[in-house]
């Protein structure tokens, strides 16, 4: 029995009966030899962690466009906070931590430059629409490794696709990430908004803080303990009704006072105009796309709009600005 098989046996002996066992995965689209050390979900976690799309998230907007401080969250730090929360819950409930972490690390790989502002404009420009969760799956299936994809397991891809509010994953681990995403962004966005002097702790309605807590630490503690306490021994991941109602109310408060606040979002129209210009340019000059994107489009019969969106969505904030400047901003010249 090799190390991987020992790990798989440990999962059978220790994990909850509702956990996803590595040895019982639905598998990958393309079969490949098993690793002698790592079970399938650990391999998926490692593939995501080493991907270029994962590294690019450190230069992608979370909420605040072009913040001047060093401590505002990026898409990457958000992802790491989601993974930390999700693993805490998964370990307490004896779920599969490797699957949980793989989903958490991959759930936002498809996010555009400039956050949800970028997602919204690409959704308008592409006739087939654009969502970051579907794009995240497209990244791991089609775009990574020079458009060969990461060949992840079905369970990881299902968790990535269904991490949003309106969707539901089929695994317990995916459901943990779905909750952890909300817990992370609500709390760290409050922290960033307070740092940016958009709101203060005292501005948050007592109807929510009296239930969840009056500090970030206490709110995280309440939410995480609520899920663990309510879900132990049950075939679902749930939260006490009072706590969930307060969390969703706090989320609505953030949409009303932070996510649409002109201080935080004042540059969004500029970012969207920039991405629109890039989209129109590459639609008219398709041959300027990297060769691997053109070949991928031919191989998969993807529309030109989809391929152009793939390229733009993969850009970091600064790279999108640099490409725009190269195309549209004149540079000074010198005669030597």
């Amino acid at each position: 029995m090799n190390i991987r098989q020992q790990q798989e046996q440990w999962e059978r002996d220790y994990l909850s009966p509702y956990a996803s066992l590595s040895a019982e995965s639905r598998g990958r689209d393309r079969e490949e030899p098993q690793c002698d050390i790592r079970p399938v979900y650990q391999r998926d976690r490692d593939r995501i962690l080493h991907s270029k799309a994962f590294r690019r998230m450190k230069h992608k907007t979370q909420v605040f466009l072009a913040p001047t401080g060093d401590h505002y969250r990026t898409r990457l730090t958000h992802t790491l906070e989601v993974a930390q929360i999700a693993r805490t819950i998964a370990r307490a409930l004896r779920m599969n931590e490797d699957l949980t972490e793989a989903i958490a690390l991959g759930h936002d790989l498809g996010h555009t430059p400039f956050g949800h502002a970028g997602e919204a404009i690409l959704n308008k420009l592409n006739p087939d629409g654009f969502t970051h969760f579907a794009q995240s799956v497209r990244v791991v299936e089609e775009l990574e490794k020079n458009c060969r994809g990461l060949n992840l397991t079905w369970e990881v891809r299902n968790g990535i696709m269904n991490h949003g509010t309106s969707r539901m994953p089929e695994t317990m681990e995916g459901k943990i990430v779905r909750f952890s995403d909300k817990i992370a962004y609500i709390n760290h966005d409050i922290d960033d908004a307070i740092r940016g002097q958009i709101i203060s702790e005292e501005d948050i309605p007592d109807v929510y803080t009296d239930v969840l807590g009056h500090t970030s630490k206490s709110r995280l503690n309440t939410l995480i303990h609520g899920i663990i306490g309510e879900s132990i021994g049950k075939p679902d991941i749930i939260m006490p009704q009072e706590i969930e109602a307060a969390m969703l109310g706090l989320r609505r408060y953030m949409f009303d006072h932070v996510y649409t606040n002109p201080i935080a979002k004042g540059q969004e129209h500029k970012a969207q105009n920039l991405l629109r210009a890039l989209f129109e340019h590459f639609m008219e000059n398709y041959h300027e796309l990297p060769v691997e994107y053109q070949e991928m489009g031919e191989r998969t019969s993807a529309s030109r709009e989809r391929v152009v969106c793939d390229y733009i969505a993969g850009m970091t904030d600064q790279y999108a600005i640099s490409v725009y400047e190269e195309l549209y901003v004149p540079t000074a010249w010198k005669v030597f």
Side-chain angles (χ1 to χ4, degrees):
M1 182 180 290
N2 62 31
I3 295 173
R4 170 184 54 81
Q5 291 168 329
Q6 293 174 19
Q7 291 293 319
E8 291 171 346
Q9 185 59 51
W10 179 89
E11 290 180 5
R12 295 187 190 96
D13 294 341
Y14 176 75
L15 292 186
S16 163
Y18 306 117
S20 301
L21 301 182
S22 300
E24 296 178 5
S25 168
R26 296 193 194 184
R28 310 179 188 278
D29 284 348
R30 301 186 302 275
E31 288 199 21
E32 55 186 68
Q34 289 268 34
C35 177
D36 61 340
I37 297 175
R38 298 168 299 164
V40 290
Y41 301 138
Q42 186 181 350
R43 292 184 80 186
D44 286 359
R45 176 258 186 199
D46 295 350
R47 290 178 184 185
I48 292 169
L49 191 64
H50 289 289
S51 69
K52 290 186 291 186
F54 183 82
R55 296 195 295 275
R56 288 197 300 270
M57 288 195 294
K58 68 181 178 179
H59 295 303
K60 291 194 176 191
T61 292
Q62 172 61 23
V63 171
F64 299 95
L65 271 65
T68 56
D70 293 332
H71 299 122
Y72 292 96
R73 270 68 170 195
T74 65
R75 190 62 57 182
L76 179 61
T77 57
H78 159 73
T79 293
L80 295 176
E81 291 185 37
V82 174
Q84 180 272 321
I85 292 168
R87 285 200 65 152
T88 297
I89 297 170
R91 182 174 297 184
L93 296 177
R94 292 189 296 120
M95 298 300 162
N96 194 308
E97 288 185 56
D98 288 333
L99 173 57
T100 303
E101 187 173 22
I103 296 169
L105 293 178
H107 82 281
D108 271 356
L109 290 176
H111 250 297
T112 62
F114 311 118
H116 288 285
E119 179 178 14
I121 191 63
L122 292 188
N123 185 50
K124 290 180 179 179
L125 294 171
N126 186 4
D128 296 325
F130 183 96
T131 60
H132 76 275
F133 50 84
Q135 188 68 14
S136 295
V137 174
R138 186 164 172 78
V139 166
V140 301
E141 289 184 339
E142 299 279 355
L143 303 180
E144 265 297 318
K145 296 186 71 174
N146 294 320
C147 297
R148 296 193 304 273
L150 299 180
N151 197 29
L152 304 183
T153 56
W154 179 90
E155 291 79 6
V156 173
R157 289 177 285 138
N158 175 265
I160 291 173
M161 173 63 82
N162 297 294
H163 74 269
T165 300
S166 62
R167 310 173 72 90
M168 186 62 68
E170 293 194 28
T171 65
M172 297 280 277
E173 292 80 3
K175 293 177 182 179
I176 289 173
V177 174
R178 182 174 176 269
F179 265 123
S180 299
D181 184 34
K182 295 179 182 63
I183 292 172
Y185 74 68
I186 290 171
N187 282 282
H188 67 51
D189 291 351
I190 289 174
D191 186 46
D192 282 353
I194 292 173
R195 177 175 291 107
Q197 299 182 355
I198 294 171
I199 61 172
S200 68
E201 179 67 40
E202 292 70 28
D203 293 330
I204 305 173
D206 291 341
V207 66
Y208 309 134
T209 55
D210 285 348
V211 175
L212 301 176
H214 294 271
T215 65
S216 179
K217 178 180 178 180
S218 61
R219 285 188 284 269
L220 286 168
N221 189 62
T222 299
L223 290 161
I224 292 169
H225 275 79
I227 289 177
I228 292 170
E230 196 75 3
S231 303
I232 286 179
K234 297 177 183 176
D236 200 3
I237 303 300
I238 49 182
M239 186 180 281
Q241 289 185 357
E242 182 184 23
I243 293 176
E244 184 171 17
M247 181 188 75
L248 295 177
L250 188 53
R251 181 174 179 267
R252 289 191 298 270
Y253 170 82
M254 292 296 290
F255 270 97
D256 292 340
H257 295 85
V258 175
Y259 301 142
T260 58
N261 186 291
I263 298 175
K265 313 304 277 187
Q267 299 295 310
E268 279 195 353
H269 71 285
K270 296 180 182 179
Q272 291 185 330
N273 289 340
L274 184 153
L275 295 186
R276 181 189 295 275
L278 293 183
F279 180 87
E280 292 172 351
H281 173 83
F282 287 112
M283 284 298 296
E284 294 175 6
N285 300 275
Y286 191 74
H287 62 282
E288 294 183 12
L289 289 175
V291 172
E292 62 266 26
Y293 281 87
Q294 298 180 51
E295 292 177 346
M296 184 270 298
E298 294 171 0
R299 186 177 69 252
T300 63
S301 299
S303 67
R304 285 198 171 195
E305 291 88 350
R306 172 58 62 187
V307 176
V308 171
C309 281
D310 287 338
Y311 181 50
I312 294 174
M315 294 179 175
T316 63
D317 296 10
Q318 189 54 54
Y319 183 66
I321 293 171
S322 296
V323 173
Y324 178 87
E325 289 177 342
E326 182 178 343
L327 291 173
Y328 296 109
V329 178
T331 57
W333 60 275
K334 295 180 180 179
V335 177
F336 294 95

